Amino acid sequence: QVQLVESGGGLVQAGGSLRLSCAASGSIFSINAMGWYRQAPGKQRELVAAITYGGTTNYADSAKGRFTISRDNAKNTVTLQMNSLKPEDAAVYYCNANARDYQGISRLYWGQGTQVTVSS
């Protein structure tokens, strides 16, 4: 089993910044892609940003130019730096990871989510 634990959410004023972190632990042989998704009330969960083991990144249009995803492969962590936050960025942010365990089984794991609130 693999566990993902997010941290760094909170309340920030519009225009401010937050840094979200996610740490993976457990029976991890390797982790391919890691990413951040978000879900606002009444809306579907959507991709914010993703990053491969090699560092290739993918961003939602809404995140481009404001958010930066990075990872530390040695520590099995992924970070989302969010700048110039807008009220519409408010949501529960979820970390995910495509991880392979020592039995060779690959699965997509999710964290429990961290709340981001942006006041106008």
Side-chain angles (χ1 to χ4, degrees):
Q1 279 289 353
V2 175
Q3 297 80 39
L4 300 179
V5 178
E6 299 111 331
S7 61
L11 172 64
V12 64
Q13 287 188 332
S17 299
L18 280 176
R19 186 178 180 88
L20 305 183
S21 296
C22 174
S25 63
S27 180
I28 300 171
F29 176 76
S30 64
I31 299 178
N32 187 6
M34 302 185 79
W36 288 95
Y37 283 69
R38 68 187 183 189
Q39 187 167 20
K43 295 187 177 181
Q44 289 188 332
R45 190 173 297 189
E46 62 179 4
L47 171 71
V48 177
I51 185 168
T52 66
Y53 182 87
T56 300
T57 58
N58 180 39
Y59 293 93
D61 287 342
S62 60
K64 290 178 181 177
R66 299 187 299 127
F67 296 0
T68 302
I69 189 170
S70 60
R71 64 186 285 174
D72 185 328
N73 291 329
K75 297 181 179 179
N76 290 329
T77 59
V78 62
T79 299
L80 184 68
Q81 177 67 43
M82 303 187 294
N83 298 327
S84 302
L85 283 161
K86 305 175 182 179
E88 52 263 42
D89 293 317
V92 177
Y93 282 69
Y94 297 91
C95 166
N96 77 356
N98 189 332
R100 175 176 293 182
D101 61 23
Y102 288 100
Q103 284 70 49
I105 299 173
S106 292
R107 291 179 57 187
L108 184 64
Y109 295 88
W110 291 89
Q112 80 286 353
T114 186
Q115 179 71 50
V116 171
T117 304
V118 184
S119 63
S120 56

